[in-house]
Amino acid sequence: MELTAHAAAGSANLTGATFNFAPGDPAGEWHSQARDYANTRYSTLDQIDTSNVKKLRIAWTFSDGTEGGHEAAPLVVDNTMYVVTPFPDVLYALDLTKTGEPIKWTFKPNPSPMGKGKACCDSVNRGVAYADGKLIYNLLDDHTVAVDAKTGKELWRTKMGNVETGETMTMAPFVVGNKVYVGNSGGEMGAWGWIAALDVASGKELWRAYSTGSDQQVRIGTDFKPFYEQFKGKDLGISTWPAGMWRHGAGTVWAWVSYDPQLNLIYYGTSNPSPRVPDQRPGDNLWTSTIFARDANTGMARWAYQTTPHDRWDFDGVNENILLDLPIDGKMRKALVHFDRNAYAYTIDRTSGEVLRAAPFTYQNWSSGFDRKTGRPTVNPDKEPHPDVKLVNVCPPDLGGKDWEPAAASPRTGLVYASIFNLCMDLTDNKVGYIPSTPYDGMNIRRFAAPGGNLGEFMAWNPATGKKVWSVKETYMTMSGVLATAGDLVFYGTSDGWFRGVDARTGKVLWSQKVGSGIIGQPTTFLGPDQRQYIAISSGVGGAAVVRADINAGKPAAFPAGGNTLYVFSIGGDSVTADSKLSTR
Amino acid sequence: MMLAEALRGESSMAYHHTFGPAVDRITSLGWGLAIISLLVIAIISVLLLGGMFRKRVAHSQGLAVRSDSGGVSWIYVGTGISTVILAGCMLWTMVVTAAVSRPPKTPALTVEVTASQFWWSVRYEGVSTARSFITANEIHIPVGEPVRIELSSADVIHSFWIPQLAGKMDVIPGQTNVSWLEADKAGNYRGQCAAFCGAQHAHMALLVVADPAPAFAAWQESQLSETAVTNGESDGQKVFETHCAVCHTIRGVTPEGIRGPDLSHLKTRSTIAAGLLLNTPANLAAWIANPQSFKPGARMPAQILSGAELTAVTSYLSKLD
Amino acid sequence: MRVTVRTLCAIGITLGLLFTGACRRSEGGSATTPPATGFPATNAITTAPLGQVAGASGNVTALSIANPFERNPQAIEQGKQLYIKMNCAGCHAYNGKGNMGPDLTDTYWRYGGLPVEIYKSIEEGRPQGMPSWGAALPPEDIWKLVAYIESFGGSVSAKDYEHARQGDQPGEQIAPEVLAQKP
C-alpha cells in the first residue's frame, strides 16, 4: 500500500524545504564547522539510525589538556581529525589510521594571554576551517593563522586587530573558494565590529566591512537594496547614533557565515550595540543586531535587516542563517531561517531581505508583536530598561532565546532543529564610560528560569509555518550545536553533560550518554578508515553557559566542573582498535 | 577671580529681579504678598498700640462685671476683611503657580541635566539622534524661547535653581523631574544647587547663557563638531589620554569618560569647577594640580603630574575651542 | 523650670550617646583628605615582591603595608563608585563574583590577597587582561578601590602576610618541628 511504502521509506518532508548541499564535501569527511555553504549541519551518513542508535558506545576519547569552554567541532579530512582547543588555541592533528588515534602533530600558536581578560564569555574558539590543504583559524588575540594540514607548520599569520583595545576573535572562519571570511568579537568592550575577507593562499586582507560608520566603511553602495524603508538612507551607520558614539558601537561578527553559490551572496549577523545601556545611545543604532547579505567577492552589501532596532537587552543578531528553499503561501521562495537572540524565529527571503515569517520560538515578554509591514518588532514599554532602575522579569535575558549554538536542518523531514533556552532576567542598567581595554557594558543581570522551570529545551521547528513541531525539555541549559543525519537522527548535548540522540521525526530521545563535563560544542559525524560511522563531540563546559550559582539557585550543584575531553562514539564502541586488520601495532 | 567677575556686575542671585516668564509672575506675586503683609502688620500694629495705650475709664463703683459697650461688631468686620484678603491672596497664588507650571508653548529645545556631587552634566537632544551632545556646567539657551529641563541625579538629592530664570526644582535620584525656563534678554544667569548635597554644595554653581538665535545655533554647531588635533599640543593630548581620559571626554579625541564633566570645547566656557573659578590657564593649572585645595571633598583627586606634563596638558585644554 | 538632678542626668546621657555615635562615624577620618600618615610611599610598594624572596633572609615587611583607608566607610563608598565608573564591575561583576575577571569575594587570589598585593595588581595590571591603572588613577583612588574590595570579605589582613603566602588557615595545628624552624 502506498501509505505503508511512504512510512517505510520515511520520506515525509513536512515542509517541502529543499537544500543546496554545495560544496558537496565527501560524505565521510567533515571539512567545515557548518558542514556546507548553507549551514545545514546535515550528514548523509545513515549507518547509525533510529534502530541501532541505542547501541552507541564510546569508541575512544582524547583530552586536549586545556581549560575553558569547548565550543568547536572536530574536522575530519583524509583520515585525519583536527581538534582545536580554547585559549591557548592549540591545534591537534590525530591520525585516525593508527590504533589509539595518536597525535600526528601539534601546532602551538602562542597567542597573547591578554585576550583571556578581554573575552566576555570565556576564552573560547568556535572552530577551524579547511581549505586547499590548509587549516585556517582565529586566535584569541586577533590573529588569523593558516597551518599546513599535513605537517602542522604555520603558513601565514595575519594581524586583524589589536587585543590591547579589548577586541578579540573567537569565531570559526568560513571558506568560499579562494576567500576566507573572518570577524571580530568584543560587543561588551566597545570594539568596532567588522567582517573581512582574506585570500586563502596568502592571508592578505582583500576587504573589510565595518558594522557602524559611513556607507563607505560599511561597504554600502549603489547595489544596496534593503527591503524596508528604515534601512534606506545615507550614512545610517552614523546618523542613527548620538554624535560620535558609532565608533565604539560594536556590531561585532563573532558567529556564523553562510553562502548562496547561485546568488553569490554571503549571509551573517552583527552583535549588539555598545554600550549595553540603551539610554546612552538613542537611535536605531545601525548596523548592530543586523543580518547582512553581501556580495561574496567584493563585500558590498546587497540587503540588510535589523532584527532588534535600538537593542536594549543585548540581543545580538549573530546567530546562524540556514539557507533553504521552501514554499510560503503557495510560492517557492529562496529563504533563510534564523533563530535570533530576541526569541523570534525568522524566515527571510534571502534575495531581498523581506521577512516572510516571524514568530517567537520560546517564552518572551519584551515584545508585544511584530509588524509585517514595517518589519519592526513592537517593544513592550514595561520592559525597557533605564539606568539605576531595577527591571524585573525580562524575557529572554541577554543570552537570548537562543545563543550562537548552531541549529541543523534535515531534508528528509524539512525541519530545523535547535538547542534553545527558557530563561528570564532581572536587570539594572548602570551608565558607563568608554575606557579602552575595559568593558563598555553596564548591565547588572540575574538570570533564572522562565515559566516552566526548565532552563533548556531542544526543539524541532517548521520554518514554513513558523511553529514548533516537538520539543524535549531539559533541566539545565542546552547550549550545544546540533547534528542532523540521514539516519533520521538529531544529536545535541546539555550543559550538565548529557549527549543525546533523538528521533528526528517524533522527538523521542532514543539514546543518552553522560560524559565528563557539560557540552557546549558542536557534534560532527564521519567515516573512519574502517568505513564505520562515528559521532564526535567535545565536552568541557564554559562559555556563556557558565552562568553559575544564580541560575542554579536552589538546585543541588549538579552543574559539572570544567573538562577538555573529545568523545568519539560508534555502534558498540567498535573502532579501528578492535579491527586487527587495520591495526598497525 | 571668582564668578562675579565673569558676570561683569550682573548680580544674578537677586531673585527679586527676574528675566523670564517662568518666574516674572512669581516675582510680582512675591512683592504683592510682601506689601499686603506689611500693610496688615502696620494696621494691626497701630490697632494694637492704640489698644495698649488707650486711656482707661476709672470705675469708682467697683462693679464686678462691666457692661457691654458694643465692640463685638468690630470682630465681625476684622474677620471679614481678613478672610477676603487671604482668599484673594490664595487665589492669586494659585493662579500664578498654575500659570508658571508649564511653558506657554511646547518647548522646541529639551535639555537633560544630571546633577552629581558637585557638578552638572548637560545633554542636549537634537532634532535627530546624531545631533545630540553633552557638555557640563554651562547651559546655553536661545533668547525668548521656552526650554524644557529634565532633571535627574547621579547620586544624592540636589536642587536646580536659576534665581533670575527659574524657581527651585529638586533633583531626586530614581526619578526625573521636569522644569522649564525662558530668558527675555540675552546675558549670563547664575544658577546654584539649592539642596544641601555634601561638602561642596556651596560651590556647585552653573551658568545659563541666553544667546540670540543665530549665536545659539552657532554655539550648537561648534559643540557638535569634533575637536581637531592641534599641532604642537600633542604632548598635552597624550598627558590627557593617559591621566584624564578615564574620567573626562573630549569629543572626537578621547571616548566617553563619564565620571567627571565633559571637557569638549572647554575654551568656550567662562568658568571651571562648576562656577568656582574663572576659566584661565593659570586657574586650570592650579585646579588640575590640586583640586582639593579649592574644593575639598570634590571627587576629582589631586593629580600626580610633573611640571612639564602639567604645562602641556594645561596648554592643550586652554586651546580647546 | 527648676533644673533637677534628673534633668541634668537626662541631658548628660543624651549628649553622651550622641558623641559616642559621632566618634564611631568619623573613625578613619574623611576619605577625601589624605590620612595623617600620608599614603604609603611608592618605592616601598614597589619592593613588595610577587614571589617569595630567594635566599633565606628576605625583607618582606613591604607586604605588611596596610591600607590607610581600611574600614573607612566614606572611602569604601567612594571605592564602590570608582569600581562602577572605572568599569571594574564589567569584568568582575557588580557583586564582585567575577565573570570575565576573577571572583574578588572568595579567598583565592592568584596574585595575592594582601592589601598591598591587591594595590599592585590594580596599579600594575596583570598579564591575562587586567589593565594597569597607575597612570590614570592616583594612589588615593587605588587605595579606595582596595578598601572596597577588602569590604567583600575575601582579602587577607596585612598583618597576616606570612600566613597568606604559606596557605595557613585560622584554627590550624602546627607540627612542632615547623614551630621549631621559626627564627
Side-chain angles (χ1 to χ4, degrees):
Chain A
M1 255 183 68
E2 274 179 13
L3 271 170
T4 322
H6 250 327
S11 61
N13 178 320
L14 296 167
T15 63
T18 61
F19 302 84
N20 181 349
F21 295 103
D25 293 332
E29 301 189 344
W30 199 281
H31 289 196
S32 161
Q33 294 293 313
R35 175 74 209 173
D36 47 43
Y37 292 150
N39 278 212
T40 66
R41 292 180 165 84
Y42 170 78
S43 169
T44 54
L45 298 180
D46 60 2
Q47 282 181 24
I48 302 173
D49 60 23
T50 52
S51 67
N52 60 16
V53 67
K54 59 181 179 294
K55 301 205 205 101
L56 269 188
R57 299 285 179 269
I58 297 170
W60 53 272
T61 62
F62 170 73
S63 279
D64 63 43
T66 55
E67 289 181 340
H70 281 60
E71 296 188 353
L75 298 191
V76 175
V77 183
D78 197 22
N79 283 325
T80 311
M81 177 180 279
Y82 299 99
V83 179
V84 71
T85 73
F87 182 91
D89 303 327
V90 176
L91 181 59
Y92 292 98
L94 304 181
D95 188 343
L96 298 180
T97 65
K98 295 198 168 58
T99 307
E101 299 74 29
I103 300 172
K104 205 193 258 185
W105 50 254
T106 308
F107 174 67
K108 293 194 173 165
N110 285 320
S112 163
M114 193 176 292
K116 282 203 83 168
K118 309 299 175 203
C120 80
C121 311
D122 204 356
S123 40
V124 295
N125 189 305
R126 294 194 186 89
V128 307
Y130 174 80
D132 193 35
K134 306 183 209 344
L135 295 152
I136 303 174
Y137 69 110
N138 295 314
L139 307 181
L140 193 63
D141 65 359
D142 304 320
H143 293 79
T144 306
V145 68
V147 177
D148 185 301
K150 293 221 176 348
T151 63
K153 293 276 173 288
E154 181 176 315
L155 296 171
W156 52 254
R157 181 183 293 225
T158 309
K159 180 173 185 173
M160 301 300 294
N162 181 357
V163 69
E164 285 194 294
T165 62
E167 70 175 330
T168 50
M169 288 172 82
T170 53
M171 56 89 82
F174 182 73
V175 173
V176 175
N178 60 357
K179 290 190 191 50
V180 57
Y181 303 96
V182 296
N184 64 346
S185 304
E188 279 69 46
M189 303 291 286
W192 190 13
W194 50 262
I195 186 171
L198 309 180
D199 175 54
V200 164
S202 65
K204 182 167 177 304
E205 181 179 295
L206 302 168
W207 50 258
R208 178 181 296 214
Y210 288 95
S211 305
T212 63
S214 69
D215 285 348
Q216 195 213 10
Q217 288 162 325
V218 183
R219 292 186 84 78
I220 287 176
T222 48
D223 287 341
F224 185 59
K225 306 252 182 304
F227 189 82
Y228 297 100
E229 286 311 305
Q230 64 266 32
F231 307 127
K232 300 176 183 169
K234 189 169 176 330
D235 290 341
L236 295 175
I238 292 178
S239 63
T240 54
W241 297 82
M245 285 193 81
W246 57 269
R247 275 203 193 86
H248 297 289
T252 55
V253 181
W254 57 270
W256 304 109
V257 185
S258 28
Y259 171 67
D260 182 328
Q262 275 148 4
L263 300 172
N264 198 35
L265 294 174
I266 56 167
Y267 303 91
Y268 70 96
T270 65
S271 82
N272 59 294
S274 246
R276 297 207 291 177
V277 179
D279 281 2
Q280 288 188 252
R281 43 161 175 84
D284 269 354
N285 308 136
L286 290 166
W287 299 86
T288 62
S289 298
T290 297
I291 300 173
F292 268 104
R294 291 186 181 279
D295 181 293
N297 293 333
T298 63
M300 297 306 286
R302 186 65 56 79
W303 59 258
Y305 174 69
Q306 188 179 40
T307 51
T308 315
H310 183 55
D311 165 42
R312 299 168 173 87
W313 309 272
D314 189 36
F315 292 158
D316 297 41
V318 298
N319 291 348
E320 69 286 0
N321 299 292
I322 301 179
L323 309 186
L324 73 178
D325 292 356
L326 80 168
I328 300 269
D329 302 330
K331 265 185 67 187
M332 209 58 186
R333 304 294 288 263
K334 288 184 182 303
L336 60 84
V337 173
H338 171 92
F339 299 102
D340 197 81
R341 288 268 285 271
N342 67 12
Y344 275 89
Y346 295 88
T347 304
I348 298 178
D349 183 319
R350 67 178 189 268
T351 64
S352 66
E354 178 192 356
V355 176
L356 304 169
R357 292 274 181 272
F361 59 88
T362 190
Y363 181 71
Q364 63 89 20
N365 62 15
W366 68 275
S367 151
S368 54
F370 181 81
D371 185 337
R372 284 287 298 274
K373 261 201 298 298
T374 61
R376 280 185 172 277
T378 315
V379 176
N380 182 348
D382 288 346
K383 299 303 177 187
E384 293 182 24
H386 299 289
D388 302 316
V389 174
K390 183 172 180 184
L391 194 60
V392 296
N393 203 39
V394 185
C395 315
D398 59 328
L399 299 177
K402 172 180 165 320
D403 205 342
W404 69 275
E405 67 274 3
S410 167
R412 293 167 59 87
T413 61
L415 300 177
V416 186
Y417 303 88
S419 302
I420 63 177
F421 310 142
N422 184 45
L423 300 171
C424 299
M425 66 175 167
D426 291 341
L427 165 65
T428 310
D429 275 352
N430 297 275
K431 279 197 167 153
V432 285
Y434 177 71
I435 302 174
S437 83
T438 69
Y440 193 31
D441 185 347
M443 279 173 93
N444 186 358
I445 302 165
R446 186 184 79 88
R447 304 181 196 94
F448 46 89
N454 53 306
L455 303 176
E457 190 178 327
F458 177 69
M459 69 158 186
W461 181 264
N462 183 328
T465 59
K467 289 199 177 11
K468 211 178 279 191
V469 177
W470 52 253
S471 75
V472 178
K473 297 217 191 315
E474 289 280 358
T475 313
Y476 291 96
M477 283 176 73
T478 42
M479 204 162 181
S480 78
V482 182
L483 168 71
T485 73
D488 279 341
L489 291 167
V490 281
F491 290 88
Y492 75 98
T494 69
S495 55
D496 63 319
W498 286 97
F499 188 48
R500 304 205 203 277
V502 179
D503 185 318
R505 297 186 185 280
T506 64
K508 185 156 181 278
V509 176
L510 299 175
W511 169 83
S512 294
Q513 169 77 48
K514 180 75 166 59
V515 296
S517 177
I519 294 173
I520 58 167
Q522 310 162 60
T524 60
T525 186
F526 61 97
L527 290 179
D530 53 350
Q531 297 309 301
R532 201 188 306 265
Q533 183 184 6
Y534 295 89
I535 311 248
I537 182 67
S538 279
S539 84
V541 77
V546 189
V547 289
R548 292 179 313 277
D550 49 280
I551 223 178
N552 295 328
K555 294 189 174 52
F559 209 73
N564 54 39
T565 305
L566 175 78
Y567 289 81
V568 179
F569 297 92
S570 68
I571 299 296
D574 295 338
S575 71
V576 172
T577 54
D579 185 342
S580 56
K581 273 211 302 270
L582 287 170
S583 170
T584 57
R585 287 284 169 89
Chain B
M1 299 301 272
M2 294 294 184
L3 186 56
E5 273 208 34
L7 299 168
R8 303 201 199 294
E10 290 183 41
S11 171
S12 54
M13 291 301 281
Y15 58 84
H16 57 278
H17 184 202
T18 57
F19 291 92
V23 282
D24 282 346
R25 292 184 66 170
I26 297 180
T27 310
S28 320
L29 174 68
W31 281 117
L33 293 178
I35 290 168
I36 292 173
S37 306
L38 287 169
L39 281 175
V40 167
I41 292 171
I43 294 171
I44 299 296
S45 306
V46 164
L47 292 174
L48 189 62
L49 288 169
M52 279 165 60
F53 294 114
R54 190 166 63 126
K55 276 181 111 69
R56 292 184 198 279
V57 175
H59 289 283
S60 50
Q61 281 90 351
L63 283 174
V65 177
R66 256 183 93 232
S67 61
D68 183 359
S69 59
V72 172
S73 54
W74 283 111
I75 295 176
Y76 294 132
V77 170
T79 311
I81 296 175
S82 306
T83 307
V84 167
I85 292 177
L86 285 173
C89 289
M90 183 180 81
L91 208 62
W92 188 14
T93 306
M94 282 168 61
V95 165
V96 167
T97 49
V100 300
S101 67
R102 49 182 62 90
K105 61 179 204 256
T106 314
L109 177 64
T110 301
V111 174
E112 288 175 17
V113 174
T114 305
S116 304
Q117 288 169 317
F118 301 96
W119 58 281
W120 305 86
S121 174
V122 182
R123 189 171 157 269
Y124 280 74
E125 307 217 341
V127 292
S128 67
T129 342
R131 292 186 60 80
S132 61
F133 62 90
I134 298 179
T135 181
N137 296 329
E138 198 168 288
I139 305 177
H140 284 237
I141 60 172
V143 170
E145 289 282 330
V147 176
R148 181 182 150 97
I149 312 273
E150 292 181 359
L151 296 159
S152 51
S153 168
D155 39 40
V156 299
I157 296 179
H158 301 270
S159 186
F160 179 80
W161 186 36
I162 320 286
Q164 294 187 313
L165 291 183
K168 295 178 187 176
M169 176 63 76
D170 276 1
V171 185
I172 299 175
Q175 71 185 57
T176 304
N177 283 347
V178 179
S179 178
W180 72 280
L181 49 75
E182 181 180 330
D184 287 335
K185 61 185 256 273
N188 297 339
Y189 302 92
R190 178 188 166 121
Q192 189 77 30
C193 176
F196 182 72
C197 55
Q200 288 301 325
H201 160 73
H203 288 142
M204 188 172 158
L206 71 158
L207 198 62
V208 175
V209 178
D211 293 320
F216 175 72
W219 176 85
Q220 260 192 318
E221 285 308 314
S222 78
Q223 290 292 314
L224 276 167
S225 69
E226 299 191 336
T227 305
V229 176
T230 42
N231 246 351
E233 302 305 332
S234 56
D235 288 344
Q237 187 182 322
K238 279 203 189 59
V239 172
F240 186 87
E241 283 170 357
T242 313
H243 293 274
C244 320
V246 291
C247 294
H248 294 284
T249 299
I250 295 177
R251 246 187 314 290
V253 172
T254 69
E256 308 91 42
I258 60 166
R259 188 178 173 221
D262 188 307
L263 298 179
S264 307
H265 311 289
L266 185 63
K267 193 176 171 201
T268 62
R269 290 186 216 163
S270 29
T271 62
I272 58 170
L276 183 59
L277 299 169
L278 215 52
N279 185 3
T280 65
N283 280 348
L284 259 179
W287 168 256
I288 293 169
N290 193 359
Q292 298 296 316
S293 67
F294 294 97
K295 230 170 144 172
R299 293 290 178 259
M300 175 163 162
Q303 300 301 307
I304 319 264
L305 296 174
S306 71
E309 288 174 326
L310 185 59
T311 312
V313 75
T314 309
S315 171
Y316 172 70
L317 288 170
S318 54
K319 292 200 170 79
L320 283 178
D321 56 10
Chain C
M1 184 181 81
R2 277 186 25 227
V3 180
T4 61
V5 174
R6 214 163 11 136
T7 318
L8 280 172
C9 282
I11 293 172
I13 289 169
T14 311
L15 287 174
L17 286 170
L18 283 172
F19 279 125
T20 48
C23 281
R24 176 67 52 87
R25 189 85 179 89
S26 65
E27 181 183 297
S30 159
T32 50
T33 55
T37 48
F39 293 109
T42 315
N43 52 1
I45 295 172
T46 313
T47 62
L50 261 178
Q52 79 276 22
V53 180
S57 63
N59 178 10
V60 286
T61 55
L63 290 173
S64 64
I65 291 175
N67 182 354
F69 284 138
E70 192 169 11
R71 276 197 296 278
N72 178 318
Q74 291 108 316
I76 291 173
E77 177 57 35
Q78 288 177 19
K80 179 175 177 183
Q81 293 305 314
L82 276 165
Y83 183 85
I84 294 171
K85 288 263 159 51
M86 294 298 120
N87 295 332
C88 316
C91 282
H92 293 283
Y94 287 88
N95 58 4
K97 295 233 177 275
N99 180 16
M100 294 167 62
D103 189 336
L104 300 175
T105 66
D106 64 6
T107 53
Y108 170 67
W109 298 88
R110 184 194 291 258
Y111 300 108
L114 296 166
V116 72
E117 291 173 321
I118 298 173
Y119 180 95
K120 281 170 68 99
S121 287
I122 299 172
E123 200 224 347
E124 298 171 0
R126 292 289 179 240
Q128 294 189 99
M130 172 67 190
S132 158
W133 294 90
L137 296 176
E140 178 189 336
D141 277 1
I142 302 182
W143 283 117
K144 285 177 189 170
L145 278 168
V146 177
Y148 178 60
I149 293 168
E150 287 182 280
S151 76
F152 286 140
S155 65
V156 183
S157 175
K159 59 181 173 19
D160 289 338
Y161 66 93
E162 276 178 356
H163 296 299
R165 295 211 151 190
Q166 295 167 15
D168 299 335
Q169 296 289 338
E172 65 181 16
Q173 301 172 75
I174 306 179
E177 293 81 358
V178 174
L179 272 176
Q181 279 168 13
K182 279 177 81 66

